[in-house]
Amino acid sequence: MTPGAAATPGAAGAVARGGPWPVTEAEARAVQEELRARVERADHAPPPGTPGTLLAGVDVAYDDTHDTVAAAAVVLDGATHEVVARATECARVPFPYVPGLLAFRELPAVLAALERLDRVPDLVVCDGYGLAHPRRLGLASHLGVLTGLPTIGVAKTPFRYRHGPVGAVRGDGAPLLDGTEEVGRALRTREGVRPVYVSVGHRVGLDSACAHTLDLARRYRLPETTRRADALCRAALREALEDAGRAGH
DNA sequence: GCGACAG
DNA sequence: ATCTTGTCGC
């Protein structure tokens, strides 16, 4: 994948091939403070169901004892939701898990997997948050700024944010609040199941982000994109560890 | 200082 | 994220 619309193709490429990356938490926070101004809120995502549209999902799996991370990028046809492309990347874990700094742990491998795709997606669905972040630069927004691609974040827990009751019907939602600021939406994708937490990443509006989340999560709580990416990165991690084991013994 | 804490 | 058995329900 070579995103022609990339805002900073050089930066994304440098990261993908192991270029500069923050080492300390202070450096990482400084990077976020720097990039937050580049997040675009205008909606550039095609409506759900648009024929010819490509929807991507990205996710990562870890084995900390082997210092290994596996990332996967999967592309679905926007109308049929059939998988049309996939790619993976394994690497050393580049950053520890620190709440608020997840992107520095996940993005290098994710960017490399995206670079390996032979298609450029119209929207990337991330596992985590976008604007719902202490510095308004969760991994979804961060990925969007580095690639120029429209992105959204769909998380499984509320992190540090609050919301009122969510209606029982699929599609019902409640604002995710950071104080009085709406940073996302708790969204019910299935009745009788906990809601998911949707937030804007880059170049997508919140209503559009929720519409895509609902479109991709008909049968299960989570979007088909992240379910596929999750399965693929786990398989990639398993194979990487098996190969390493064979080579070592 | 204490608790909370995306994945 | 990951460690883990059985169990309730469609």
Side-chain angles (χ1 to χ4, degrees):
Chain A
M1 185 203 80
T2 306
T8 58
V15 166
R17 65 182 90 91
W21 200 245
V23 174
T24 68
E25 294 186 22
E27 289 170 353
R29 291 195 185 87
V31 169
Q32 292 180 330
E33 293 291 358
E34 167 104 10
L35 295 183
R36 60 181 296 179
R38 295 207 229 162
V39 176
E40 296 172 25
R41 303 204 184 203
D43 198 319
H44 286 75
T50 305
T53 277
L54 300 177
L55 307 175
V58 294
D59 194 18
V60 300
Y62 300 94
D63 186 309
D64 284 304
T65 68
H66 291 80
D67 189 36
T68 300
V69 53
V74 177
V75 179
L76 308 189
D77 179 284
T80 66
H81 293 184
E82 285 178 15
V83 177
V84 298
R86 52 180 119 211
T88 63
E89 169 76 9
C90 288
R92 294 302 163 218
V93 180
F95 206 87
Y97 172 67
V98 180
L101 302 180
L102 224 209
F104 299 96
R105 182 171 168 82
E106 309 213 326
L107 289 193
V110 166
L111 286 163
L114 282 172
E115 293 282 343
R116 288 188 169 186
L117 290 173
D118 52 17
R119 313 294 297 275
V120 178
D122 297 288
L123 175 71
V124 181
V125 181
C126 299
D127 208 341
Y129 283 124
L131 293 180
H133 178 276
R135 286 168 292 283
R136 301 294 177 267
L137 197 84
L139 78 167
S141 297
H142 198 144
L143 178 63
V145 168
L146 293 185
T147 62
L149 298 171
T151 62
I152 67 173
V154 180
K156 297 181 285 295
T157 70
F159 194 14
R160 62 211 293 170
Y161 305 106
R162 303 288 160 176
H163 64 82
V166 181
V169 178
R170 169 180 150 80
D172 283 347
L176 239 203
L177 302 173
D178 184 353
T180 58
E181 182 180 355
E182 179 178 42
V183 295
R185 185 176 302 162
L187 180 69
R188 181 143 270 142
T189 55
R190 289 201 69 192
E191 301 189 358
V193 178
R194 287 180 302 145
V196 296
Y197 303 86
V198 180
S199 59
V200 167
H202 183 61
R203 308 183 80 203
V204 183
L206 183 55
D207 285 336
S208 180
C210 289
H212 271 102
T213 299
L214 276 177
D215 177 58
L216 287 163
R218 293 180 168 154
R219 181 156 185 185
Y220 301 96
R221 177 168 88 121
L222 297 176
E224 211 56 46
T225 37
T226 83
R227 299 186 75 253
R228 299 278 192 168
D230 178 76
L232 184 55
C233 68
R234 290 192 196 215
L237 179 65
R238 178 164 31 77
E239 288 170 25
L241 296 179
E242 284 172 2
D243 291 347
R246 263 197 298 280
H249 299 170

